[in-house]
Amino acid sequence: MKKIGLFDSGIGGFSILKDLMKINPAMSFYYIADEAFLPYGEKSEEFVRKRCEKIVEVLMEKEVDLVVVACNTATALGIQSLRERFCGIPFVGVEPYLNIVNQVEAFSSGGEAPSPRRLAALITPSTKVSPRFVKLKKRVDPKGEISIFDCKNLANIVEEFYSEGNSFELEEKLRLELRPLKDSGFTHVILGCTHYPLVQSFIEKELGCQCISPGPYVAKRVKYLIEGSTLKTSKPFAESTENSSFQFLSTKSGAWALRKFSDFTLIS
Ligand code: DGL
């Protein structure tokens, strides 16, 4: 069974894990949440890069076959140096799915002309100023159709939903964070931090929009690499009867801990 390592500053990578488990049922997953240093979204490039390297060292000890950088901020600030330093292993990153702007079919229904659209992307402050993101935005969205919003507290609020459960106060915090987008008529909102899809249905209801996440594309890319010639599995996935296994390590507790992860919807 192939071993996939994943990491994020916290539980955000669960939104990616969910799609990976759907498409790759027979895998072992090692997940590291760097909760002691959350949020990455306000840290410097050097800080995040060093954390990424530390975490990948631990994943290497687990002898993983591939690493998913299940965090947009870590991808923006750290994936390049990870690829340089750990060159024997493939890395799959997560980036805000800005490409949707050029996929006309995503906005048409049944061959009709595309419906009017207004696009926004929610990202962390560190992702917003990273050269990698700035370059991506220029290349994919040269006409500047996508409005970018950096969210200072959203990832933390999602963590609070996970640790404390749903409450009126937390819902109010979430509403406050989304206020800059409210009543602006955004039809599609790109979720550019892996924490955000965990509260996707709340965001969709609050803003009356459709949210877009890269999880399914990341899962397909992992499947492609795992099934490719360099990382051949012993059996095709369709024939495999093995079940996936999951180990969760948090830097906060400092110990492996199995937690409930079957329900990825924290609030709807
Ligand atoms: N989940 C992370 C991301 O995708 C970052 C959250 C944070 O630590 O700020 O960007």
Side-chain angles (χ1 to χ4, degrees), residues 75-200:
T75 301
L77 305 181
I79 200 166
Q80 194 183 329
S81 74
L82 289 176
R83 285 186 171 134
E84 283 160 14
R85 173 149 174 222
F86 303 92
C87 41
I89 184 150
F91 286 91
V92 176
V94 179
E95 290 189 298
Y97 197 64
L98 304 186
N99 309 46
I100 196 82
V101 72
N102 297 315
Q103 294 177 354
V104 176
E105 68 280 8
F107 305 100
S108 341
S109 48
E112 288 163 21
S115 37
R117 63 190 197 182
R118 258 172 76 73
L119 304 180
L122 300 180
I123 60 178
T124 68
S126 302
T127 299
K128 188 177 177 186
V129 297
S130 69
R132 191 179 170 101
F133 177 76
V134 172
K135 215 164 124 192
L136 175 77
K137 174 88 165 68
K138 261 198 204 133
R139 179 170 57 79
V140 177
D141 181 30
K143 291 190 213 143
E145 277 191 69
I146 307 171
S147 307
I148 304 295
F149 292 85
D150 54 337
C151 306
K152 285 199 174 60
N153 306 310
L154 195 42
N156 276 333
I157 296 170
V158 173
E159 290 282 333
E160 283 181 64
F161 272 110
Y162 185 66
S163 55
E164 288 164 27
N166 194 353
S167 70
F168 177 73
E169 287 72 24
L170 274 179
E171 287 192 15
E172 279 305 290
K173 274 197 198 177
L174 197 46
R175 278 197 189 93
L176 194 67
E177 194 70 7
L178 296 171
R179 194 172 287 166
L181 288 92
K182 185 95 178 145
D183 302 325
S184 303
F186 289 112
T187 54
H188 297 80
V189 174
I190 297 158
L191 303 180
C193 163
T194 52
H195 278 77
Y196 308 163
L198 298 174
V199 291
Q200 171 163 340

